[in-house]
Amino acid sequence: MTSTADRLAHQQKKEQGIGTKQHAVKFSQQDYESLRQQCLQSKSLFEDPCFPAEGKSLGYSELGPHSPKTRDVVWKRPTELCSDPKFIDGGATRTDICQGALGDCWLLAAIASLTLDQRILARVVPPGQSFTDGYAGIFHFQFWQFGEWVDVVIDDRLPTKDGELLFVHSAQGSEFWSALLEKAYAKVNGCYEALAGGNTIEGFEDFTGGIAEVYNLYKAPEKLFHIIKRALKLGSLLGCSIDINSSSQREAVTMRKLVKGHAYSVTGAAEVHSQGQLVQLIRMRNPWGQVEWTGPWSDGSSEWETVSAEERSKLNHVAEDGEFWMSYKDFMKWYDRLEICNLTPDTILSDDVGHWNHYQFEGMWRVGSTAGGCRNYAATFSSNPQFVVRLEDVDDDPLDDEQGCTFLVGLMQKDGRRQRRLRRSLETIGYAVYKVPDELKGRSNVHFGPDVLLRQTAVANSSTFINTREVCDRFRLPPGEYVIVPSTFEPHKNASFLLRVFSEKQAATSPMEEDIDADVKEEAEVSESDVDPYFKQLFKQISGDDCEVSVFELVRILNNVVSSRSDIKTDGFRLDTGRLIVSLLDKDESSKLGLLEFHLLWTKIQKYLEIFKKHDSDNSGTMSSHEMRLAANEAGFHINSEILQAIVSRYADAQYAIDFDSFVGCLVKLEMLFKMFKSLEKADKGKIELNMQQWLCLAIH
């Protein structure tokens, strides 16, 4: 219950704008400025209780407490390691980043790329931090984490061995921004060891909030050059590399002065006229600032003499900064991998580029309710969360003669690194995209069932289902309405996810969820004369002299009835269910049911039994929890995925089946909750306000 309350409180904060770049979430509820002021007032250096200078902050296995790698580790502050430590000295550059005894080169490559754009770097590394003015042993950094920006506070105690930093360090040894950045990122992910192994694009995304595409160039799309041009126009970050077959090849230099296993930036794409032909060129940058391509179209090569002076001046092709041009043909020949990190509008600070339109949604797969698995599992597939995207405007400059709407879909599962300590692996994830039928266009207050999804073929799919942090693909579809169905490959897997859609033009995007409502009609007034005489006689026998049924008598009656039926399974009505029923139907607050109240109950149970049997598709006597949404709908209750998850958690058994007594109890509880809300709601605003006493009385009742 408390975790649900925490999640709801988190949703409320997001609605208030907390988690944006302007109002970052305070990680572990630590406020940098107030903690720093406390330390300055007390004249003490900050010691972080949330990420202490202890073995558990290092790791759990290879960097665990009994590992030889962590033996004799001493945590020291920069002021203990050199006489004049600097946070950033002369600007942040790639030489500030040297790898230590941790396999996080992917992260270091991303940090190195950050230094190429000082504006983006300043968002991750807030300026004004130093070891002189206002120094209190405390620093902070900001990262994008699964849909929101977080501000992470750390102390500056760093793990050392033999007087040297154990992990990231600067080449000169007196600059510490990169080591402290690595520590903050380790804190976010649980420990240093959680950072071992990964992909540079993960760092790109967590430093920018962007969405990353990866292209293997040996099977690149035909129009990749135009994709690169368009990405640069939209302010995206682009990187490329040459694969290596062994660690000995890392940073080996080819005969044409290209470095293997090394991250290059792609900074431009252009077409020039040369000897009567149009030649496609790519501009690259080696972060080293030297060692440049010496092949065709390199600085000073003869090919430039075939280009007009006007075109040459536009391209500014000679510069001693590690930047160079090469033909697109050679780019495809020599390089193996291209990464494009597409940025959100709030990350792009320049007005010189366009930007993607960006939409994101959080969601959950929960066993028994929304974890339906992929299309292979027809019985449960439609249970998955669903999101609609409406594409109206076609691209301004289509890659070919066929017009369409370009958009990216990224599906990311949360907290994979933090769960490594618990030996949990990432789930295998992917998604499918379906066309919305004409009769359902314009609606987002529905949840498509198998009658819609299974009668058509997907118009697009993720390129693969894979156990990675994120699956991202680029699509171009005709204008229209589409529904995206994200899922794990197999059903019955618990995980949380973030779905992101980046579109070149505005595209209305929203979750597909039913509006929460109840169509529970008040039963017509029934007088005693309307009740069947046989029912009256039966009731009198049951109720005794007072002609009222207590909760204890009610439970006994209901259990006698259901125990005689072979077509439904039940472990018996419980006392709390009986109390719910009495609370709902007891008009005179006698805590008992009179004849008319009992007659109303009997009518309800007959109706619920009919619905229950209809949705017991395998005639097992129980109903699959995945059927609960449709069954509740038929009973008059329109619920969304979050409410469905709560229902399954409360009423399903260990095999995620719902028996008849639980089904009745659930529907009675829903009716009571809807009626309570409506009676307390003011002016149909969809909200109620309670003081503590009122809340406790209602909750206990």
Side-chain angles (χ1 to χ4, degrees):
M1 181 67 76
T2 53
S3 61
T4 302
D6 290 343
R7 179 165 50 80
L8 294 176
H10 179 71
Q11 289 175 355
Q12 290 176 344
K13 289 179 180 177
K14 293 203 78 167
E15 290 170 1
Q16 296 164 7
I18 297 175
T20 62
K21 188 62 187 173
Q22 294 72 28
H23 302 285
V25 173
K26 293 176 174 58
F27 191 76
S28 297
Q29 299 181 330
Q30 292 175 300
D31 181 78
Y32 167 73
E33 197 55 49
S34 62
L35 289 171
R36 192 174 74 89
Q37 290 301 324
Q38 289 173 24
C39 291
L40 291 173
Q41 290 171 9
S42 63
K43 297 182 179 180
S44 62
L45 296 179
F46 178 62
E47 295 188 4
D48 187 2
C50 298
F51 198 64
E54 298 174 2
K56 66 180 182 180
S57 297
L58 292 175
Y60 47 87
S61 179
E62 288 192 18
L63 293 178
H66 305 296
S67 168
K69 293 183 179 180
T70 59
R71 195 173 298 141
D72 303 322
V73 166
V74 179
W75 296 75
K76 291 187 176 183
R77 298 184 190 270
T79 51
E80 301 173 88
L81 292 170
C82 66
S83 58
D84 186 24
K86 301 279 196 251
F87 184 66
I88 295 179
D89 187 11
T93 66
R94 68 161 299 282
T95 59
D96 304 338
I97 306 152
C98 300
Q99 188 173 353
L102 183 61
D104 61 348
C105 59
W106 63 273
L107 175 63
L108 309 193
I111 297 174
S113 295
L114 267 186
T115 64
L116 301 179
D117 192 322
Q118 295 297 313
R119 296 170 303 176
I120 294 179
L121 177 71
R123 297 166 69 99
V124 178
V125 186
Q129 304 185 80
S130 75
F131 290 97
T132 52
D133 299 335
Y135 170 69
I138 183 172
F139 293 85
H140 70 131
F141 300 85
Q142 293 197 347
F143 306 116
W144 181 89
Q145 288 287 284
F146 311 112
E148 62 186 17
W149 285 90
V150 295
D151 190 88
V152 185
V153 170
I154 56 166
D155 63 36
D156 62 351
R157 295 177 294 176
L158 297 167
T160 70
K161 224 175 187 183
D162 301 323
E164 302 286 340
L165 287 177
L166 187 60
F167 303 128
V168 167
H169 53 280
S170 66
Q172 61 267 46
S174 59
E175 194 171 22
F176 291 92
W177 73 269
S178 59
L180 294 168
L181 171 62
E182 182 189 44
K183 179 175 182 178
Y185 199 63
K187 178 178 177 178
V188 162
N189 287 283
C191 62
Y192 276 96
E193 187 173 354
L195 304 184
N199 198 306
T200 304
I201 59 173
E202 186 175 338
F204 274 161
E205 291 183 331
D206 286 353
F207 296 153
T208 66
I211 188 170
E213 302 174 80
V214 179
Y215 292 96
N216 293 315
L217 297 184
Y218 66 88
K219 56 177 182 181
E222 183 181 348
K223 301 290 183 179
L224 182 62
F225 179 78
H226 297 284
I227 291 174
I228 292 172
K229 281 189 71 174
R230 186 172 290 176
L232 290 166
K233 184 178 178 182
L234 291 169
S236 304
L237 300 180
L238 285 78
C240 60
S241 59
I242 301 171
D243 289 346
I244 58 174
N245 298 319
S246 65
S247 58
S248 62
Q249 291 185 324
R250 181 171 297 281
E251 299 193 343
V253 181
T254 70
M255 59 182 292
R256 291 292 192 179
K257 300 296 184 184
L258 296 178
V259 186
K260 291 186 175 182
H262 179 65
Y264 283 80
S265 298
V266 178
T267 60
E271 293 177 297
V272 297
H273 294 87
S274 171
Q275 296 179 331
Q277 292 184 325
L278 202 59
V279 180
Q280 296 174 332
L281 300 179
I282 297 287
R283 189 174 65 204
M284 320 281 292
R285 186 174 192 277
N286 182 345
W288 287 357
Q290 53 189 353
V291 187
E292 293 186 9
W293 163 251
T294 59
W297 299 100
S298 60
D299 289 358
S301 69
S302 60
E303 286 78 14
W304 288 106
E305 297 174 6
T306 67
V307 178
S308 69
E310 183 182 359
E311 283 190 306
R312 281 203 306 270
S313 64
K314 286 180 181 178
L315 299 183
N316 187 26
H317 76 283
V318 177
E320 297 301 324
D321 60 354
E323 198 165 57
F324 57 88
W325 289 93
M326 69 191 309
S327 72
Y328 175 67
K329 184 178 179 180
D330 280 332
F331 170 75
M332 297 296 290
K333 174 183 174 181
W334 287 96
Y335 286 89
D336 298 296
R337 181 182 178 91
L338 173 70
E339 297 168 351
I340 301 177
C341 185
N342 303 282
L343 304 183
T344 59
D346 73 320
T347 305
I348 300 172
L349 305 179
S350 171
D351 293 328
D352 299 333
V353 297
H355 59 76
W356 292 93
N357 295 287
H358 168 232
Y359 314 88
Q360 67 179 33
F361 306 96
E362 292 184 80
M364 293 186 292
W365 296 296
R366 287 294 177 265
V367 178
S369 56
T370 57
C374 71
R375 172 72 178 255
N376 296 353
Y377 301 89
T380 55
F381 175 63
S382 62
S383 302
N384 287 299
Q386 302 169 11
F387 302 85
V388 67
V389 55
R390 297 183 177 93
L391 306 173
E392 296 179 356
D393 299 322
V394 298
D395 301 341
D396 288 332
D397 50 345
L399 301 182
D400 48 37
D401 295 335
E402 186 179 341
Q403 290 191 328
C405 309
T406 296
F407 65 107
L408 308 176
V409 178
L411 175 63
M412 177 182 290
Q413 53 187 318
K414 296 184 177 182
D415 299 324
R417 292 189 179 275
R418 292 189 68 85
Q419 293 185 24
R420 286 184 181 181
R421 186 189 292 270
L422 304 175
R423 303 293 191 270
R424 292 178 184 165
S425 302
L426 290 169
E427 298 296 341
T428 301
I429 61 171
Y431 52 82
V433 182
Y434 293 87
K435 194 165 176 37
V436 174
D438 290 342
E439 65 272 18
L440 293 171
K441 283 183 178 178
R443 296 183 60 186
S444 58
N445 63 337
V446 294
H447 185 92
F448 291 162
D451 58 322
V452 174
L453 296 180
L454 299 183
R455 75 183 185 190
Q456 59 172 306
T457 303
V459 296
N461 293 282
S462 54
S463 55
T464 183
F465 272 80
I466 189 171
N467 59 336
T468 188
R469 181 172 96 147
E470 184 174 39
V471 175
C472 177
D473 288 284
R474 176 184 292 252
F475 304 104
R476 190 179 58 168
L477 293 174
E481 291 190 22
Y482 302 90
V483 60
I484 303 169
V485 184
S487 72
T488 54
F489 183 77
E490 295 180 336
H492 318 310
K493 302 287 185 181
N494 284 327
S496 297
F497 67 84
L498 181 76
L499 183 81
R500 296 188 289 167
V501 177
F502 279 49
S503 61
E504 287 204 7
K505 294 297 186 73
Q506 289 282 345
T509 308
S510 62
M512 297 282 284
E513 286 287 7
E514 288 196 73
D515 295 334
I516 301 170
D517 196 11
D519 183 21
V520 181
K521 299 180 177 62
E522 288 294 336
E523 289 78 3
E525 288 289 333
V526 177
S527 66
E528 194 169 328
S529 61
D530 296 321
V531 179
D532 181 78
Y534 176 74
F535 188 89
K536 285 185 191 176
Q537 184 180 352
L538 185 63
F539 177 77
K540 190 169 183 179
Q541 292 173 0
I542 294 168
S543 61
D545 295 338
D546 62 353
C547 289
E548 287 195 310
V549 174
S550 70
V551 64
F552 305 100
E553 292 170 325
L554 174 62
V555 169
R556 187 168 65 249
I557 295 164
L558 293 176
N559 285 334
N560 284 339
V561 171
V562 295
S563 63
S564 65
R565 299 188 65 115
S566 59
D567 56 343
I568 56 174
K569 287 185 180 177
T570 174
D571 55 4
F573 281 84
R574 291 174 288 276
L575 200 57
D576 59 344
T577 303
R579 288 192 167 115
L580 269 177
I581 293 171
V582 171
S583 296
L584 177 66
L585 301 175
D586 178 24
K587 306 286 187 190
D588 58 4
E589 297 191 63
S590 66
S591 297
K592 293 183 178 182
L593 299 182
L595 171 63
L596 298 183
E597 294 162 339
F598 190 78
H599 183 267
L600 179 58
L601 167 63
W602 204 251
T603 304
K604 281 184 181 294
I605 287 180
Q606 295 299 315
K607 173 187 172 185
Y608 293 164
L609 179 61
E610 184 179 335
I611 296 172
F612 182 83
K613 287 179 63 62
K614 177 181 176 181
H615 290 277
D616 175 14
S617 55
D618 59 357
N619 297 315
S620 63
T622 62
M623 188 177 70
S624 166
S625 59
H626 285 277
E627 294 277 8
M628 193 64 201
R629 187 195 299 262
L630 290 175
N633 200 313
E634 195 168 331
F637 303 102
H638 302 278
I639 57 176
N640 63 14
S641 295
E642 286 200 39
I643 296 171
L644 178 62
Q645 289 166 18
I647 287 173
V648 172
S649 176
R650 171 67 178 82
Y651 292 101
D653 65 15
Q655 285 71 46
Y656 296 94
I658 296 177
D659 58 17
F660 183 63
D661 57 283
S662 296
F663 182 67
V664 171
C666 174
L667 297 185
V668 168
K669 184 69 174 269
L670 280 174
E671 184 173 349
M672 176 180 288
L673 291 172
F674 272 107
K675 286 183 173 178
M676 286 165 58
F677 187 93
K678 286 299 181 184
S679 66
L680 295 166
E681 183 185 22
K682 294 181 179 179
D684 292 327
K685 291 185 177 180
K687 294 182 180 180
I688 61 175
E689 186 174 319
L690 301 172
N691 61 33
M692 182 64 77
Q693 175 183 304
Q694 292 168 330
W695 158 246
L696 289 174
C697 286
L698 282 174
I700 291 171
H701 188 69

